[in-house]
Amino acid sequence: MDVDQPTGHEIHIPPKPREALEDRKLLDRPSRHELLQSESWRVLRITSEFVTGFDHLAEVYPAVSIFGSARTQLANDYYNAAVKTAELIGKAGFAVITGGGPGIMEAANKGARQAKALSIGCNIELPFEQHVNEYVDKAMTFRYFFVRKTMFIKYSEAFIAFPGGFGTLDELMGALTLIQTKKITNFPVILYGTEYWGGLLDWLRKSVLAANNITKEDVDSLHLVDDPVRVRDIVCAFHDQALVTNADEDESRPPLHVTRED
């Protein structure tokens, strides 16, 4: 499942037919024969994947997860911003965790490498080929999205979301739900790019908050930022405060609030 990747070496994952993906096998409705023959063994495989992930990331601390589109090109401004953000975070003493693929993930791993920080890639099996980018130092490939998402949550002190699609939104909303329901200790969720994410916050305020489906605190807890230095400062302030208080949001540590930076 996992590979410690030497510098400059790419790991190519061959394309797999959709029916061969473990996530699909798990989530498709099985026949009774399939249920009796395979589901119990699949639970053991899932357990093994959790154990292996925990084992390989156990010493990773502190760390920050950076998400964004795999389709972002090298010349894109957000690519360069992700490189700079990860570099600053790496120089501040944090490991950088990404999905291990191209685009924003590659940019973040590149920035971590430039800072000589630990650069981690948690890849996922997909129907199409997705190689681990060349800037990853420690690479793992997961069969199951929910196992991979657990690793992002468990070993990160902040989530930074650059412009992305469904995958980025999935990680973003998953983290916000866990924070809102207090299933995890509160940590910063940072949205990079006012132009890209501003409409989402407007919709949350005008529609979701107005319908009383979330609270003002839920919306205000999101950090909307356009400067890599500001991202670094938010992450470091939270980490320093956590070290001093050693408490979660139900005790003495107030959440950090940053809204738009126009």
Side-chain angles (χ1 to χ4, degrees):
M1 184 191 84
D2 51 303
V3 180
D4 288 332
Q5 179 182 331
T7 301
H9 179 68
E10 289 189 356
I11 300 172
H12 289 278
I13 303 168
K16 300 186 74 172
R18 292 181 181 177
E19 62 271 15
L21 294 177
E22 292 299 329
D23 258 338
R24 187 181 179 96
K25 292 178 184 177
L26 174 67
L27 297 175
D28 277 350
R29 178 180 295 177
S31 68
R32 179 164 179 77
H33 174 76
E34 290 171 332
L35 182 64
L36 293 175
Q37 294 295 321
S38 63
E39 294 300 276
S40 296
W41 289 106
R42 187 163 289 117
V43 170
L44 295 178
R45 184 178 295 151
I46 293 168
T47 301
S48 173
E49 192 157 295
F50 272 116
V51 170
T52 304
F54 292 158
D55 181 60
H56 279 75
L57 296 178
E59 304 300 322
V60 175
Y61 175 82
V64 170
S65 287
I66 298 179
F67 305 98
S69 176
R71 304 177 185 184
T72 303
Q73 300 298 310
L74 178 64
N76 189 288
D77 288 342
Y78 287 123
Y79 185 102
N80 297 324
V83 173
K84 183 62 176 178
T85 299
E87 183 177 9
L88 289 172
I89 288 171
K91 288 180 177 179
F94 295 85
V96 173
I97 305 174
T98 78
I104 292 295
M105 295 174 280
E106 175 187 290
N109 288 129
K110 180 179 180 180
R113 175 73 62 78
Q114 290 177 178
K116 296 180 170 56
L118 182 59
S119 179
I120 301 167
C122 295
N123 198 25
I124 184 73
E125 286 186 352
L126 295 172
F128 46 86
E129 183 177 10
Q130 177 174 300
H131 65 275
V132 176
N133 71 70
E134 63 181 303
Y135 302 106
V136 171
D137 300 319
K138 180 182 280 292
M140 291 173 289
T141 297
F142 295 91
R143 297 183 181 96
Y144 301 100
F145 267 111
F146 58 87
V147 178
R148 179 182 185 237
K149 289 167 70 175
T150 298
M151 301 305 149
F152 287 134
I153 288 285
K154 184 172 179 64
Y155 295 101
S156 298
E157 294 205 2
F159 271 20
I160 303 168
F162 279 80
F166 285 154
T168 302
L169 289 168
D170 180 44
E171 298 292 350
L172 171 63
M173 293 304 172
L176 292 175
T177 300
L178 291 171
I179 292 170
Q180 181 197 57
T181 57
K182 304 193 185 304
K183 290 293 186 179
I184 60 173
T185 302
N186 184 32
F187 63 66
V189 177
I190 302 167
L191 305 179
Y192 192 100
T194 299
E195 183 178 357
Y196 189 86
W197 295 111
L200 173 63
L201 289 187
D202 289 341
W203 175 75
L204 287 173
R205 291 192 179 97
K206 294 177 182 178
S207 297
V208 188
L209 177 59
N212 201 33
N213 289 326
I214 57 175
T215 68
K216 184 176 183 299
E217 289 72 24
D218 291 331
V219 183
D220 289 346
S221 67
L222 286 161
H223 306 261
L224 188 60
V225 183
D226 290 304
D227 178 20
V229 173
R230 183 62 184 137
V231 176
R232 189 266 323 269
D233 290 346
I234 292 170
V235 171
C236 289
F238 183 89
H239 177 70
D240 292 345
Q241 189 179 40
L243 290 178
V244 171
T245 62
N246 193 29
D248 67 22
E249 74 278 9
D250 289 326
E251 299 175 5
S252 60
R253 186 176 69 209
L256 294 171
H257 294 305
V258 178
T259 54
R260 290 184 190 274
E261 299 194 355
D262 296 322

